[in-house]
Amino acid sequence: MASSSSSLLCNLGLLVVAMAIARAGAVFRPTPWSTAHATFYGDESASETMGGACGYGNLFSTGYGTNTAALSSVLFNDGFGCGSCYQIRCTGASACYRGSPIVTVTATNLCPPNWAQPSDNGGWCNPPRVHFDMSKPAFMKIADWHAGIVPVMYRRVPCPVRGGIRFLLQGNGYWLLAFVMNVGGGGDVARMWVKGSNTGWISMSQNWGASYQAFSRLGGQSLSFKIMSYTTSNTIIASDVAPSNWNVGLTYEATVNFH
């Protein structure tokens, strides 16, 4: 009987280890294609797409460029959709370019509902519609912009980023605010923790979009971050990302990223 119990515990232990290994090695894979619609906002300069509900600021300096989109609230998911990446191609309309070319965009903004308009005539981002309000340069890669709105096929894909996760730090001596950028894999963040060189792990709360905050005194300490992916639940640790003399307003890059 004791032998059977030991064998059962051993098997359970191996199962737990196997599950942990599987989670640690979680890789985000493209999803199946689905249908939606797309519009655009701003002009060819994409100046109106700067900033946005995800808090990435100047999209050129933060590395996102003009291949971006604002998501309807269904996809935006209260900010947890920030940083996610999509392949989009126009299909089924005369405005679609020949060959249905594909553009990859990053979610950097929210397309809010317009309750004054019906969802099939102006209220394109009203729930429960899945909709992409793209930057004009991105839209112009798949369709004639004169159409205004086109039917599209879309799917989530791994974000084509380079380098490690980046953290733009803001706040003061008692409050740390970190904007999380250049996230690979699914591109999204579910939870974050920060650890000073003189503290344990401190849970951070979502402030808005892709920003997380901790109400702690962390000045004069080197900072490490633990980040959980919203899509895969994979968790990675970015050790000693910011040195002890870190300053607000600066961006610090980790050596790790999701895949």
Side-chain angles (χ1 to χ4, degrees), residues 172-197:
N172 54 47
Y174 299 89
W175 172 57
L176 176 70
L177 181 67
F179 293 87
V180 193
M181 303 173 293
N182 201 53
V183 180
D188 47 24
V189 176
R191 294 188 64 189
M192 267 184 57
W193 297 259
V194 62
K195 181 180 182 297
S197 48

Side-chain angles (χ1 to χ4, degrees), residues 4-17:
S4 297
S5 298
S6 298
S7 177
L8 178 60
L9 289 173
C10 181
N11 290 336
L12 287 173
L14 290 173
L15 177 61
V16 170
V17 171

Side-chain angles (χ1 to χ4, degrees), residues 182-244:
N182 201 53
V183 180
D188 47 24
V189 176
R191 294 188 64 189
M192 267 184 57
W193 297 259
V194 62
K195 181 180 182 297
S197 48
N198 298 323
T199 74
W201 286 109
I202 301 168
S203 181
M204 306 182 76
S205 59
Q206 186 187 36
N207 183 282
W208 54 279
S211 65
Y212 287 78
Q213 62 188 359
F215 294 92
S216 301
R217 297 185 63 178
L218 293 165
Q221 302 180 55
S222 60
L223 303 180
S224 300
F225 293 94
K226 182 162 57 174
I227 312 99
M228 176 184 288
S229 165
Y230 187 89
T231 300
T232 66
S233 295
N234 190 17
T235 301
I236 58 176
I237 293 177
S239 299
D240 298 322
V241 175
S244 58

Side-chain angles (χ1 to χ4, degrees), residues 3-255:
S3 177
S4 297
S5 298
S6 298
S7 177
L8 178 60
L9 289 173
C10 181
N11 290 336
L12 287 173
L14 290 173
L15 177 61
V16 170
V17 171
M19 291 174 65
I21 292 174
R23 171 163 290 189
V27 175
F28 181 76
R29 305 293 184 188
T31 63
W33 290 95
S34 301
T35 58
H37 283 80
T39 50
F40 68 88
Y41 68 114
D43 57 22
E44 285 87 343
S45 70
S47 59
E48 291 185 32
T49 68
M50 297 299 111
C54 290
Y56 294 135
N58 186 307
L59 300 179
F60 293 109
S61 62
T62 51
Y64 292 103
T66 59
N67 282 353
T68 62
L71 307 181
S72 60
S73 56
V74 173
L75 294 176
F76 189 74
N77 192 22
D78 293 327
F80 290 111
C82 287
S84 54
C85 298
Y86 295 85
Q87 285 184 339
I88 301 175
R89 58 187 179 92
C90 180
T91 180
S94 59
C96 299
Y97 289 150
R98 186 185 300 273
S100 192
I102 294 172
V103 64
T104 301
V105 299
T106 302
T108 60
N109 205 352
L110 166 68
C111 180
N114 181 3
W115 300 114
Q117 301 291 337
S119 60
D120 61 349
N121 187 19
W124 309 122
C125 291
N126 293 350
R129 286 183 67 102
V130 174
H131 190 84
F132 298 89
D133 199 18
M134 304 168 67
S135 71
K136 190 173 183 180
F139 187 92
M140 292 172 65
K141 292 180 179 179
I142 62 171
D144 181 350
W145 66 271
H146 292 91
I149 180 170
V150 293
V152 297
M153 298 287 291
Y154 76 95
R155 66 174 180 172
R156 283 278 305 276
V157 293
C159 290
V161 302
R162 293 183 179 181
I165 296 177
R166 299 180 191 134
F167 305 86
L168 169 60
L169 304 184
Q170 300 287 358
N172 54 47
Y174 299 89
W175 172 57
L176 176 70
L177 181 67
F179 293 87
V180 193
M181 303 173 293
N182 201 53
V183 180
D188 47 24
V189 176
R191 294 188 64 189
M192 267 184 57
W193 297 259
V194 62
K195 181 180 182 297
S197 48
N198 298 323
T199 74
W201 286 109
I202 301 168
S203 181
M204 306 182 76
S205 59
Q206 186 187 36
N207 183 282
W208 54 279
S211 65
Y212 287 78
Q213 62 188 359
F215 294 92
S216 301
R217 297 185 63 178
L218 293 165
Q221 302 180 55
S222 60
L223 303 180
S224 300
F225 293 94
K226 182 162 57 174
I227 312 99
M228 176 184 288
S229 165
Y230 187 89
T231 300
T232 66
S233 295
N234 190 17
T235 301
I236 58 176
I237 293 177
S239 299
D240 298 322
V241 175
S244 58
N245 62 342
W246 60 268
N247 282 298
V248 296
L250 297 182
T251 299
Y252 299 89
E253 183 172 349
T255 58

